Amino acid sequence: MILVLLLLCAFFSAVTWTEQAPTGEAAAKQVVEAVLASSSPGARVLVVAGEQPGEADFVARAERDLAAAGRRVVATAVGEPRQAREALQKIQADGQTLEAIAATRVAGGWRILQDVASEFPSLGHPRVVVPRSHRWPNFLKSENLLNIANQIAVIAIVAIGMTMVIIAGGIDLSVGSLIALSAVLAAGFIRDHAGGVNASALGMTLGCLGAIALCGVVGAFNGLMITRFAVPPFIVTLAMMLVGSGLAYLLARGQSIYQVPESFVRLGRGADLFGLPNAVLLMLALYGAAQVLMSRMTLGRHLYAVGGNAEAARLSGVPVRRVLLFAYSVSGLLAGVGGVVMASQLKSGSPTYGNMYELYVIAAVVVGGTSLSGGEGRMLGTLTGAFTIAVIQNGMNLTNVESYTQKVVLGLVILGAVLLDKLRQSRGLRTL
Amino acid sequence: MSPASPGAPLLALDGIVKSFPGVRALRGVDLRLEAGEVLAVLGENGAGKSTLIKIIGGAQQADSGTLLLDGRERRFRSPQEARAAGVAVIHQEFNLVPALTAVENLFLGQEPTRGGLVDRRRERSEAEALFRRMGVEIDLDLPCRRLSTAQQQLVEIAKALLFEARILIMDEPTAALSAHEVEKLFAIIGDLRRRGLGILYISHRLEEIFTIADRVSILRDGMRVADRPMGGITRDEMIEHMVGRPLDQEFPARDRTPGETRLEAVDLRRGDAVRGVSFRLRRGEILALTGLVGAGRTETARLLFGADPRDAGDIRLDGRPLDLQSPRDAIREGIGFLTEDRKLQGLVLRHSIRENFGLPNLDRWSRRGFVGLRRERAELARHVDALRIRLADIEERVGNLSGGNQQKVVLAKWLARDCEVLIFDEPTRGIDVGAKHEIYLLMNALVAAGKSILMISSELPEVLGMADRILVMHGGRITGEIPDARHATQEQILRLAHP
């Protein structure tokens, strides 16, 4: 499956291969370096920029760095070509010369700067320095890659629990609704009991943990119905999907809850470690723990055994009911975590969150190579599956595929990915 | 049914070769089957019987060699083609849809229609006529999953007759039948033979081959090593041909000195299946529990193992009453249960040998919830050697192993736990003579080491050969006890089983 993911990445890298021009401070740094290399201290420099956002950063940084290196910034011109012309005219009128003009890419394209030698001959042929461009895929830009990871974090986290449930031979359709319930519970608690926009960190933490715990209780209830009363998992979790969604709407009175503090977004949007978004770090940590549980621990073995053959597992002394109860509880808990992360990312809680997510989560698990009949699958496969889905969505956004077409393509790719895996497996078996 | 070329046998295979990657399953096999003949095909697991059946039945194609039907060369590319030519295969696992009735299963895929609708009346009358001709009674309105194994088998046979099969291949047809049902089946086979069908009969039970077969062909390592009429071969010769060497005693001897009582069942009850069963199992003893299928033997064993809740009764181990709520409790008390159906209850077929082996033992080699993989591998290696399990890799799927080796993996599971009391339910079902012998040796070693074995078996020679004491069940009750198995006879057991 990892191969499909890599192929997709390669494909989207190829189709988004475009000219990349640095902007803002990065552009300023590069231009300043070029100016310094071709001039001596005391040289006179004009800084020119357009009016787009970010151009101001360029001017500020360029001015500061040039001054620090002993060059003289005689003037700055920000805005339109007219401002640049006025600045040049003023310099010419003062009878001064110019060694270099540091311009942003936009400004460097203006006629006035290209024709500076012929229009203002007395300035002494200043060199126009613009940031150099290079070619690099939009897809592979680090902001984009982090964006993909951040976008998929919720689905990937919920998919951990789903993988356990499916490996144990079940299914959990209630996770999408639990995401909404958890987001509404957390945001609602902060609004009503922790002081709304002035809530403390403790209040927010309590709200989030409470929401997660409640989702865990719902998950445990699912497990209880399935193990004690032998109701098929599909039915139990379908019912809880309706109940959970309805409760979320009731609690939120059908509306979004926005009354949360600015700092609430720290979990979903903040990046406190190595520049990685906190949501992505949380996701990775959870995958690490789940991977160890599934591959190294007794409980993991039991989950596989129950899904592979529940009766054989029971007759081998596996506490089948407890194992299933664990899987559904974890699935509920992680759906709660997903809901809290989503609420933090969107700085609000709404009963519409997580709509249809159960299907995306199941898709991630299945694309990751886990068999829906239970007993087989890998946790890291699910992570690959989640990223496959995220990469397809992101790639189509980058290539401006419209959203209806995206749905069609995503559906076909999910089918194709699973088909490819089946083919590879059957060929693998034949060569054994 | 007149042959195309007079004098040609119904079915003739010449020089059939079939290879799989790394294995030559068949290395030039010849076989003749005449109309009105029952040909027994014998061989250990892995000798090539299954492959041979698959080639005749069209499920696989031979690499070389010819298959002649009525003297005409045929090549079946699918089971459908073989069926159309009159070849029916009845597998151990039946091809019946459990939710459909016998009638619906009979006509599945070839329903007679009238005006676009299924002609149910015609289906029913044809089915009734068919079963009457076979001399059996079957409730035509019950879904097949509610029929007994024997009845399901009859439906399969009826299906074969419905499309006028001329060759009937039966793979271990008696494996799950009681003695009485076997008798009935043999009567039907005899009738089919009189009607000119050729029957290819595959079984591990040598006794019944002497009863039913006209001729025997023995396969070993993908070759036919013997082909004789039944009158011209003895039981020991057959075994020697199968294993390729003279066999020591079929049931190895041991010291029989049972000690004090270990496990005691007192008036166990569960519904109609178990109606007041009491007995004692002693240290170093093999106690056989026999009787017809449905007599309540497995049900009793499941109560002893905590697999089903009991309505009443006590279970004591070394005089101490046990409160068994689940198999987990029983395992903790040192009781192991080798189930009758290893594929459905004993193993997780899709998982590796190592994972299956570890399943009941994880608590023994894990610390703080983490599995001690090194210890697991070491323990498994020890048992693979001791039980002579033939495998390529311990990470291989257990479902890929032969029946005998699968059974050894189940045994290894329980041996690694060092259980004090072992319940063996049909321990040698569907496995070949060589592997059987090894399992008998192992059982002897276990009781010699002071363990106690409760052996459930329908194979009377096995019961007589291996047990110290015999209990016979019927209708959920123990109908008789034979204190010294060495002096018991099959007739004695059968009388107790049919009171």
Side-chain angles (χ1 to χ4, degrees), chain B residues 11-30:
Chain B
L11 176 75
L13 302 183
D14 281 304
I16 297 288
V17 172
K18 176 74 181 175
S19 296
F20 299 103
V23 197
R24 290 189 71 195
L26 297 177
R27 306 195 277 177
V29 171
D30 302 337

Side-chain angles (χ1 to χ4, degrees), chain A residues 46-52 55 76-88 104 106-113:
Chain A
L46 170 69
V47 178
V48 187
E51 52 193 352
Q52 283 89 346
E55 303 270 287
T76 56
V78 182
E80 294 174 21
R82 192 159 51 83
Q83 274 82 25
R85 178 176 294 276
E86 281 164 7
L88 287 166
T104 61
V106 179
W110 295 341
R111 274 258 311 278
I112 175 73
L113 289 194

Side-chain angles (χ1 to χ4, degrees), chain A residues 292 296-298 301-302 304-305 307-309 311-319 322 371 373-376 430, chain B residues 21 302 305 307 327-328 331 339 343-345 347-348 350-351 354 359-360 362 366 369-371 373 376 397 413-414:
Chain A
V292 170
R296 299 297 312 277
M297 299 190 67
T298 314
R301 281 283 190 94
H302 285 173
Y304 279 104
N309 184 342
E311 182 63 4
R314 191 174 83 95
L315 294 175
S316 297
V318 174
R322 250 186 283 160
S371 155
S373 46
E376 288 173 305
R430 236 176 288 145
Chain B
R302 286 177 65 92
F305 192 58
R328 195 175 174 75
I331 291 168
T339 54
K343 291 189 173 168
L344 289 182
Q345 301 179 333
L347 295 167
V348 185
R350 281 177 299 164
H351 289 180
R354 178 178 56 78
L359 203 51
L362 289 178
S366 56
F370 284 87
V371 180
L373 283 175
E376 183 170 76
R397 283 183 177 208
K413 252 169 75 165
W414 296 115

Side-chain angles (χ1 to χ4, degrees), chain A residues 179-241:
Chain A
I179 288 173
L181 186 62
S182 159
V184 165
L185 279 169
F189 181 88
I190 293 168
R191 181 189 62 186
D192 300 335
H193 304 291
V197 289
N198 301 314
S200 63
L202 179 69
M204 287 190 284
T205 313
L206 274 181
C208 293
L209 290 182
I212 293 169
L214 242 125
C215 290
V217 170
V218 176
F221 178 80
N222 282 337
L224 214 62
M225 295 306 282
I226 291 159
T227 52
R228 288 288 150 180
F229 302 103
V231 188
F234 190 94
I235 307 292
V236 173
T237 59
L238 180 72
M240 288 320 286
M241 168 173 128

